[in-house]
Amino acid sequence: MVVSMPASDNLRLEAADIHSYIFDAELPRRRAGSWGDSAEKVLRYGSFVGSSLECHTRLGRAMEHARLHIDSEEKRGWSVQSGRVILAGTLTGSKGRFTRSWHAPEGGLWGCLLHGTTLTAPSTLLLSLALGVAACEAIRQMGVRDCAVRWVNDVLVKGEKVAGFLVESHTGPRWKEIFHLIGFGINVNNQVFPKELESWAASISQALGASVNLPDFTLDFIAKLAWNIGLLYYIEARYPDWWEDPSEHCHPVLARWRKLSDTLGQRVVFGYDVIEKPQFSARVAGVSSEGGLRLVLDDGREITEYSGEIRYI
Amino acid sequence: MSNEIDFDELLGKYKSDPYDYIDVFSIHTGAVTFTINEGDEVDAASGEWRHIPGTTLYEINRERNPKPVSSKINGTISYLNRELDGSFVEAGEKLMTIRHPLKKKEIIEGILKKVLYLFPAPERAKYFFAMDIQSRIEKKGARSVSIAPGDEILTMSLMKRDTPIYYQGEPGVIHSVYFDPGVSVDQGSPLIGVCASDKVSMIQKIITRVKADWDTDH
């Protein structure tokens, strides 16, 4: 279960630590909420997250490392464990979407989760939202109360980005199994940003005015991922007809996202690549049952977008 | 991809009947009320983002939840199943047919779609070319870019999740691109049209012929 790799100075975690944290710390919190005894079932569905762990002092790109890991395991005739988390103390070749840079120095939480795509298509639509919810919950747990999710899953504190995700699919070369490579970057204790990022990036420690115990935060973030991804599986198993008419209910991941997001009601500029090619401005009317962004255009018409990004204006 | 194309027959067909006939089906079960009559002209969706709905064709009411359904294309109502007006229908029941007048560009596209291999969108999402393909297109143009089965040609983007799309189909060059990177493509709609390298000149001949034979744009 535990894969030992050279650990960075601030990340000496093992998979067993994650498992213990999920059931000893996260479960009582969730049980005490509205989920009661069902909380354990949800976490059992999600506990594959972090079931194996690699910690590195330094990597180029965690997602590239994950890709190579899948390819090499399959070429050896082995199957790849879903839920493996790859962490790095620093990333030297990290990038954001498109050609954007992502600064990943020491002090942040940088990594990738390998997720075998066993969710149905509609649940997969909510996966991206679940990631933002997990990061926002973990950051709030540290005491940053004014952090919020911006559609789809950026996490901001007072308008400055603290956490972001990149999800890419990768097909194994031999078994053709499809994985989501869930790349995450969270500014935890790093405080210095390159000039081009200075005005819109921040870290948790800046927001708190104090440094954060990185391993503790890491455990909590992974446990929150386990919960929110677990919810996607739990709902599929418990309510097989859920997606036949999704407008009839509100998925718990979506409900939580709505509570943690400050996107609803905002005036935004929308674009597939909103920085390089902004397309139009609109007001956010809501989020559809599948996670699409409902936008009211200036002429009063409403459209729903499932792909793209926004900036508040 | 067809090897033998009878251009004369194909063009003759378009000349004698330059229309497309689009059947309209009920989107789900419910009571249908028509809002148009046979012979009426209808408009397509319009606006920069195709967000202004076209002419309302019918309203369908299920469990006191009425839903107006609008035309996606312009034309004339050439057939209306009037018997269904006010009655309960199943999902997918044929309600009417719209006769859509074809433009020269649409005729060319229609013919090309018969002779090219069309690679469909696997899901409703936004698509963009894989970086390698994009850079080759920028350098030499799409029609110089050869692709073969198994090549990573596109990235599908949905809810900030990017999935590489591998080409499955006949090897050839990318002749037509049917998507715009910023606009969602419906599942099953063609993304690209691929033509065997040795047939590019034949395709060009079709286009030239249509342009010459079709003297007006409508």
Side-chain angles (χ1 to χ4, degrees):
Chain A
M1 182 171 66
V2 180
V3 180
S4 294
M5 300 289 285
S8 69
D9 290 343
N10 52 2
L11 290 171
R12 297 184 185 282
L13 297 173
E14 295 189 341
D17 300 327
I18 297 171
H19 185 83
S20 300
Y21 188 89
I22 288 173
F23 290 98
D24 296 343
E26 190 65 17
L27 177 57
R29 279 198 289 258
R30 299 292 183 179
R31 197 180 261 151
S34 57
W35 284 86
D37 289 342
S38 299
E40 185 171 352
K41 289 180 186 163
V42 174
L43 279 171
R44 292 214 175 276
Y45 275 107
S47 62
F48 73 95
V49 175
S51 53
S52 92
L53 178 69
E54 274 184 46
C55 296
H56 298 263
T57 307
R58 177 188 297 255
L59 279 177
R61 278 192 78 203
M63 293 175 84
E64 194 50 39
H65 185 83
R67 208 172 268 119
L68 293 171
H69 171 76
I70 291 167
D71 291 357
S72 81
E73 294 283 277
E74 286 208 356
K75 278 175 187 163
R76 290 154 117 182
W78 297 353
S79 74
V80 179
Q81 188 170 349
S82 180
R84 186 181 188 86
V85 171
I86 297 162
L87 299 175
T90 177
L91 298 174
T92 54
S94 58
K95 70 177 194 76
R97 299 193 83 203
F98 310 109
T99 52
R100 295 173 199 160
S101 60
W102 183 274
H103 183 57
E106 292 247 353
L109 177 58
W110 325 113
C112 180
L113 164 66
L114 276 70
H115 172 228
T117 56
T118 50
L119 287 167
T120 59
S123 294
T124 305
L125 283 176
L126 296 185
L127 175 65
S128 293
L129 299 183
L131 307 175
V133 168
C136 192
E137 286 181 338
I139 294 167
R140 286 192 178 198
Q141 180 97 9
M142 290 288 127
V144 185
R145 293 284 159 210
D146 51 359
C147 84
V149 188
R150 179 178 66 194
W151 190 85
V152 178
N153 54 21
D154 290 336
V155 181
L156 312 180
V157 175
K158 293 178 183 160
E160 294 178 328
K161 189 163 168 176
V162 172
F165 293 90
L166 259 185
V167 184
E168 294 175 2
S169 302
H170 180 68
T171 305
R174 183 163 182 177
W175 313 126
K176 303 297 176 197
E177 194 175 352
I178 301 171
F179 288 86
H180 292 137
L181 310 181
I182 300 171
F184 50 84
I186 305 179
N187 298 320
V188 183
N189 288 322
N190 50 314
Q191 303 221 3
V192 179
F193 298 97
K195 227 174 182 59
E196 69 271 19
L197 304 179
E198 248 172 17
S199 59
W200 60 271
S203 65
I204 301 172
S205 62
Q206 284 175 329
L208 287 173
S211 65
V212 172
N213 182 312
L214 187 57
D216 285 354
F217 176 77
T218 303
L219 286 173
D220 199 56
F221 168 63
I222 295 173
K224 302 286 193 270
L225 281 177
W227 170 263
N228 285 285
I229 294 173
L231 274 175
L232 298 174
Y233 283 99
Y234 174 78
I235 292 295
E236 279 196 357
R238 178 81 177 78
Y239 306 102
D241 299 336
W242 183 279
W243 292 107
E244 280 186 12
D245 192 352
S247 59
E248 284 186 3
H249 350 257
C250 182
H251 196 288
V253 167
L254 188 58
R256 188 73 181 134
W257 186 92
R258 283 177 174 149
K259 276 195 174 165
L260 294 174
S261 175
D262 63 353
T263 297
L264 307 184
Q266 292 268 7
R267 187 152 179 80
V268 300
V269 58
F270 177 89
Y272 177 67
D273 174 354
V274 76
I275 293 176
E276 291 294 321
K277 292 176 187 165
Q279 289 177 299
F280 58 86
S281 58
R283 185 181 59 76
V284 177
V287 173
S288 74
S289 49
E290 289 110 345
L293 190 67
R294 291 172 43 227
L295 295 160
V296 177
L297 303 173
D298 291 342
D299 62 4
R301 305 285 178 178
E302 186 177 309
I303 58 170
T304 303
E305 287 284 354
Y306 289 90
S307 186
E309 51 188 17
I310 55 171
R311 291 291 181 269
Y312 301 149
I313 49 178
Chain B
M1 193 188 306
S2 306
N3 284 321
E4 299 298 327
I5 305 288
D6 187 337
F7 296 145
D8 293 328
E9 188 189 335
L10 206 51
L11 288 173
K13 204 177 118 210
Y14 278 115
K15 281 267 180 194
S16 63
D17 187 22
Y19 297 97
D20 197 4
Y21 294 84
I22 294 111
D23 291 333
V24 177
F25 302 94
S26 52
I27 54 167
H28 55 61
T29 54
V32 159
T33 309
F34 293 125
T35 53
I36 37 77
N37 293 303
E38 203 164 303
D40 281 359
E41 299 281 329
V42 295
D43 293 323
S46 58
E48 195 175 0
W49 314 107
R50 312 286 288 168
H51 58 279
I52 302 169
T55 307
T56 303
L57 300 175
Y58 67 94
E59 190 176 271
I60 190 160
N61 194 328
R62 181 173 61 181
E63 293 178 357
R64 286 177 289 175
N65 180 20
K67 197 179 286 178
V69 177
S70 59
S71 181
K72 290 185 166 46
I73 200 155
N74 69 304
T76 307
I77 305 297
S78 61
Y79 163 77
L80 187 67
N81 194 345
R82 180 55 75 183
E83 283 178 12
L84 296 177
D85 198 16
S87 59
F88 190 88
V89 298
E90 296 294 334
E93 191 140 359
K94 181 176 168 180
L95 303 177
M96 65 189 78
T97 302
I98 299 172
R99 191 176 72 162
H100 168 68
L102 293 166
K103 292 179 178 174
K104 188 196 285 188
K105 194 179 164 194
E106 290 172 312
I107 290 170
I108 292 172
E109 280 305 314
I111 294 171
L112 283 178
K113 282 179 180 175
K114 284 192 173 70
V115 297
L116 297 176
Y117 173 77
L118 301 178
F119 184 69
E123 282 185 59
R124 178 176 163 76
K126 289 180 181 171
Y127 292 84
F128 52 95
F129 281 113
M131 283 169 74
D132 171 51
I133 299 280
Q134 183 64 43
S135 85
R136 283 157 64 194
I137 288 172
E138 282 166 10
K139 275 182 196 156
K140 296 179 177 177
R143 288 175 194 172
S144 305
V145 177
S146 297
I147 55 173
D151 287 355
E152 183 186 332
I153 53 164
L154 295 158
T155 300
M156 177 180 81
S157 184
L158 189 58
M159 294 296 288
K160 213 177 158 192
R161 175 168 48 85
D162 293 341
T163 304
I165 304 294
Y166 299 94
Y167 180 64
Q168 294 300 329
E170 298 181 32
V173 298
I174 300 172
H175 185 279
S176 300
V177 177
Y178 299 110
F179 69 95
D180 184 302
V183 180
S184 291
V185 180
D186 284 334
Q187 183 179 29
S189 295
L191 291 166
I192 54 172
V194 177
C195 166
S197 309
D198 59 351
K199 292 198 174 67
V200 175
S201 59
M202 178 191 81
I203 301 282
Q204 206 48 50
K205 208 163 88 182
I206 299 171
I207 294 170
T208 311
R209 177 89 182 264
V210 173
K211 281 180 177 168
D213 283 18
W214 225 262
D215 41 10
T216 62
D217 193 39
H218 296 279

